Amino acid sequence: MERVVNDWSLEVCQMKLEDNGTLTVKFEDSPPDSQKKSTNSLSLHFESDRLQEFITATDVYRSLESEFKSVMELSGELVTIVNKEGIVERVSSNCKKIMGLTVDEFVGRSIYDMERLGVITLSSSKKVLETLKEVQMTQRTRGDRRLFVRGIPLFNESGSLEKVINFSRDITEESNLQERLREREYEIGVLLKEIQRGHSEKNLLVSKAAEIEKVSYLLSKVAQTDATVLFLGETGVGKSAFAKYLHELSPRRAAPFIPLNCAVLPDQLVESELFGYAKGSFTGANQQGKKGLIEAAAGGTLFLDEIGELNLQTQTKLLQVLQEKTFTPIGKTEPVKVDVRFVTATNRDLEEMVETGTFRRDLFYRINVVPVHIPALRERVEDIPMLIHHFVDKFNGNYKRMCSISKDAIDTLINYEWPGNVRELENMMEQLIITAPSEVIQVSDLPEKVQRSKERNKMFKGSFKEQMQEHEWKILHDALQEARNLNDIAEKLKIDVSTISRKLKKHGLKLR
C-alpha cells in the first residue's frame, strides 16, 4: 500500500498484529527530491475491543465477512466453526432445520456441553481437538437426524491449532432410503427363494392333466400336516417324485428326505437298514454299528417305497414307530425317540394282502390315513409330450447333446401303451439321446415295439384311452348282468371290492 502526502512517499511493506493488541507497521518513506528510501516502523497499541472495532470497521473486513458468509450458506451443508477451546464461533443459517437450534442458541456454546446434553451424539470438533487430524463420522442429533460430518483442523503459521471447521450433511432421508432398500432386498431375497423353491417343486411334477392337478392340490393341503400318506399306483408312475414333492411343500423341507425301496433289499437287510444296529450285533455287521434310516431322517421325511414287500416281523416293528414314535435298534435295549414323517407307496393291493394275512391290518390303517392314487401314464396321455420334452432337455444337458424330436416321433410315442409308465418313458428318452444318429430324433430311431404299436393302433378308431375306457365299461357292464353283489363281481374279475366300487362309479354303472 503506497500513499503520497505532500510529495512524501510512504509505502507500507509489512503489518503484524501481536497477541497483546500491538499493531506493528513497517513502511518505507521517500522524502521529496530524494532518490534514497529509508525503512521505519510504527507500533500502535489497541485495547482488544477497540482493536476489534477498528478491524471490523474497515471496508476490507466487511467485504471478506460478506464473502465468507455467502460461502457458508451456499455450500448447502451445515457449516460450524469452533475455536481451540471448543466454543462454537460461527454456524450457517440452516442450523435450526438440521440441529433444532437457532444460530443464536448454537453460537457461543461449548461442544463438550452439547455432547453431554445430547444435542449431538459424538462431537467431530472434540475428536479433531483431541487428535489434531481430520475426521469423518456419522452423528445423530437430538431431533433424530443423522449427519455425515467432516471435521477439518485449521492451523496458524506456527503450526498450532486455531480452529476447527465442520461440514455436516443431513443423510437422514438417505439413511432411511438405504434402510428401506435393505428391507426390500431382504424381502425380495425371501420371495426369490420361495419362487425358486416353487419352481423346483413345479419341476418335480411335469404335468397338465386334470387328474394330476387334483393330486397336486390335495398334497398342498396335506403337506402342512404330519398325516401319513400312502401313494397308490402302478410301477413307474412316479410315486417317489410325488413323495418328494410332498416333502418340499411341507415345513420339514429343510430336513432330510430319505427314500428306501423295500423291494430291492432282502428281508434280513431291510430291518437293519431301517432301525440300525449296535456294533457286533451280527456276523458281517459294521464293527462300529450303524445308524438306521429312521434315525437319519429325524425331523424330515422317510419314504418307504413298495411297502407291501416288507415281511411281517419288520411290519410289526414299523408299527411301533408309527404309534409310539420310538424304536429299538438291533442289538440294543434302550429305545430311541424320533420325530419322522412317514410316507409310503405300493403298487400292490394292500387290502387284499390284509385279507390273505400277508400285511398287518393295523399297519394298513396307520399308513392309509391319506391314500393318493397316481394314474397310469396311459390314463393321462396329454402329459406325454410335456414329459418327452422335459426328458430331452434333461439328457441333452447330461450328455452334452443338442437333440430335438420330430412331431411324428412324438405322435408315435403318444400312441404307445407305456406299460412301464413314466419310468419307461424316461429310460427310453435317455437311450434315444445317447444313440440318436442325428440331432433330430425320427420315428425310425424309436424302438421297434413302439413303431409296431403305431401300426397296430391304425386299425382302431379313437384314442387308446378312449378304447380302454370303452373296453373297461363293457367288461363291467357284462359282469353286472349276472352279479348279485360287488363280491360276486370281485370274485369273477379277480380284483378287490374297493376297486370294483371305484370303477363302477367312474362309468356311472350300478347294481340292478
Side-chain angles (χ1 to χ4, degrees):
M1 181 174 63
E2 185 176 354
R3 187 75 178 268
V4 177
V5 181
N6 295 328
D7 296 328
W8 195 297
S9 176
L10 297 176
E11 183 177 354
V12 177
C13 55
Q14 184 179 4
M15 297 179 65
K16 183 178 181 181
L17 180 63
E18 306 292 345
D19 291 340
N20 60 6
T22 300
L23 178 66
T24 302
V25 182
K26 290 186 178 181
F27 58 89
E28 292 179 344
D29 62 330
S30 299
D33 303 325
S34 174
Q35 300 299 319
K36 185 178 180 181
K37 293 184 179 181
S38 61
T39 302
N40 298 283
S41 63
L42 174 67
S43 295
L44 302 172
H45 180 73
F46 294 87
E47 297 292 334
S48 59
D49 55 344
R50 298 297 299 278
L51 177 61
Q52 184 68 25
E53 291 177 7
F54 172 76
I55 294 173
T56 56
T58 63
D59 292 338
V60 173
Y61 178 86
R62 284 196 293 268
S63 176
L64 288 173
E65 175 79 1
S66 176
E67 290 176 4
F68 186 69
K69 284 183 176 180
S70 296
V71 170
M72 289 183 66
E73 300 301 331
L74 291 174
S75 68
E77 298 183 345
L78 174 67
V79 181
T80 56
I81 299 177
V82 177
N83 65 23
K84 58 186 177 182
E85 282 78 33
I87 305 301
V88 178
E89 292 187 342
R90 288 178 178 271
V91 65
S92 53
S93 60
N94 54 358
C95 178
K96 175 67 176 178
K97 177 182 177 182
I98 296 177
M99 298 300 297
L101 299 173
T102 64
V103 173
D104 292 339
E105 290 172 327
F106 206 73
V107 172
R109 298 188 66 173
S110 166
I111 57 170
Y112 304 102
D113 289 342
M114 285 192 286
E115 186 181 71
R116 180 174 54 82
L117 295 172
V119 177
I120 51 176
T121 52
L122 296 171
S123 171
S124 55
S125 298
K126 175 183 173 182
K127 193 70 175 177
V128 173
L129 292 172
E130 290 173 351
T131 63
L132 303 181
K133 295 179 181 179
E134 180 178 331
V135 300
Q136 294 182 5
M137 62 172 59
T138 302
Q139 288 180 349
R140 187 180 291 273
T141 70
R142 188 163 55 188
D144 203 30
R145 309 295 296 180
R146 276 168 283 190
L147 310 177
F148 175 75
V149 186
R150 182 184 175 199
I152 303 172
L154 302 178
F155 300 96
N156 58 24
E157 292 179 355
S158 62
S160 299
L161 181 68
E162 281 291 324
K163 300 183 188 299
V164 178
I165 183 168
N166 298 283
F167 299 93
S168 304
R169 180 163 56 90
D170 191 345
I171 60 170
T172 306
E173 295 305 320
E174 180 181 330
S175 298
N176 290 339
L177 287 172
Q178 288 177 346
E179 187 172 339
R180 287 198 291 271
L181 179 60
R182 284 192 294 269
E183 291 174 354
R184 296 297 175 268
E185 287 175 345
Y186 173 78
E187 292 172 0
I188 290 170
V190 171
L191 288 173
L192 284 174
K193 288 180 180 178
E194 290 298 315
I195 290 170
Q196 290 165 0
R197 184 173 67 82
H199 180 67
S200 174
E201 291 162 359
K202 184 177 180 181
N203 283 344
L204 289 171
L205 300 181
V206 181
S207 175
K208 64 177 182 179
E211 295 90 340
I212 301 302
E213 287 292 329
K214 293 176 183 177
V215 170
S216 177
Y217 175 76
L218 174 61
L219 294 182
S220 69
K221 306 294 287 184
V222 176
Q224 306 311 311
T225 73
D226 277 339
T228 305
V229 177
L230 172 61
F231 288 103
L232 303 167
E234 297 178 6
T235 298
V237 293
K239 296 186 289 291
S240 59
F242 284 92
K244 178 67 173 175
Y245 177 76
L246 175 68
H247 173 76
E248 291 296 330
L249 287 177
S250 76
R252 294 175 177 266
R253 57 182 169 268
F257 172 83
I258 297 185
L260 174 65
N261 190 327
C262 303
V264 300
L265 294 175
D267 291 345
Q268 61 270 27
L269 289 183
V270 170
E271 187 173 345
S272 63
E273 285 294 315
L274 275 176
F275 304 104
Y277 52 84
K279 61 181 181 179
S281 298
F282 52 88
T283 303
N286 188 316
Q287 293 304 308
Q288 303 302 317
K290 183 178 180 181
K291 180 189 293 186
L293 295 181
I294 295 176
E295 190 173 357
T301 302
L302 179 62
F303 172 53
L304 300 178
D305 197 5
E306 305 299 350
I307 193 172
E309 305 301 323
L310 291 179
N311 60 48
L312 289 171
Q313 179 182 343
T314 306
Q315 290 178 32
T316 301
K317 294 191 69 172
L318 182 60
L319 178 63
Q320 178 190 358
V321 182
L322 288 166
Q323 288 178 332
E324 303 174 11
K325 302 300 182 184
T326 62
F327 71 95
T328 304
I330 299 171
K332 292 187 178 182
T333 57
E334 293 295 323
V336 177
K337 189 172 182 64
V338 289
D339 171 27
V340 176
R341 180 182 194 167
F342 284 88
V343 177
T344 62
T346 185
N347 64 345
R348 300 184 62 176
D349 189 335
L350 293 184
E351 290 184 84
E352 181 180 340
M353 293 180 66
V354 168
E355 295 302 323
T356 59
T358 55
F359 199 87
R360 291 186 61 113
R361 187 181 300 273
D362 45 6
L363 179 59
F364 172 71
Y365 292 139
R366 280 287 179 180
I367 65 175
N368 195 42
V369 177
V370 182
V372 180
H373 176 73
I374 309 300
L377 186 56
R378 62 181 174 274
E379 297 174 359
R380 47 186 176 108
V381 291
E382 62 266 46
D383 283 347
I384 294 176
M386 289 183 63
L387 289 165
I388 290 171
H389 291 298
H390 171 73
F391 291 130
V392 166
D393 291 342
K394 174 183 176 180
F395 294 119
N396 270 334
N398 289 354
Y399 298 109
K400 306 297 187 290
R401 296 293 306 270
M402 295 289 290
C403 291
S404 60
I405 185 166
S406 70
K407 183 179 184 302
D408 286 343
I410 292 175
D411 290 340
T412 303
L413 291 168
I414 289 173
N415 287 314
Y416 179 57
E417 296 178 4
W418 296 109
N421 292 292
V422 179
R423 184 181 298 136
E424 183 183 8
L425 174 58
E426 181 177 9
N427 292 340
M428 189 179 296
M429 296 315 301
E430 182 174 15
Q431 176 191 346
L432 289 169
I433 293 296
I434 294 172
T435 61
S438 67
E439 291 188 349
V440 180
I441 298 170
Q442 304 290 350
V443 174
S444 58
D445 299 322
L446 302 179
E448 288 186 10
K449 62 180 181 181
V450 178
Q451 296 184 48
R452 288 197 302 268
S453 176
K454 179 182 180 182
E455 295 302 320
R456 187 168 60 250
N457 286 331
K458 287 181 179 179
M459 299 184 301
F460 298 96
K461 296 180 179 180
S463 69
F464 177 78
K465 183 177 181 181
E466 291 170 341
Q467 294 175 60
M468 288 295 295
Q469 289 178 346
E470 183 177 350
H471 187 56
E472 187 176 77
W473 179 90
K474 187 175 186 308
I475 292 173
L476 293 170
H477 178 269
D478 292 345
L480 283 172
Q481 304 311 307
E482 302 175 1
R484 293 173 298 174
N485 52 48
L486 295 182
N487 287 328
D488 286 346
I489 301 176
E491 185 177 350
K492 180 179 180 180
L493 300 180
K494 306 302 182 187
I495 56 178
D496 60 278
V497 173
S498 63
T499 302
I500 290 292
S501 178
R502 185 173 70 250
K503 289 186 177 295
L504 289 176
K505 183 177 181 181
K506 171 185 173 183
H507 291 286
L509 298 172
K510 294 181 181 180
L511 281 167
R512 291 182 297 175

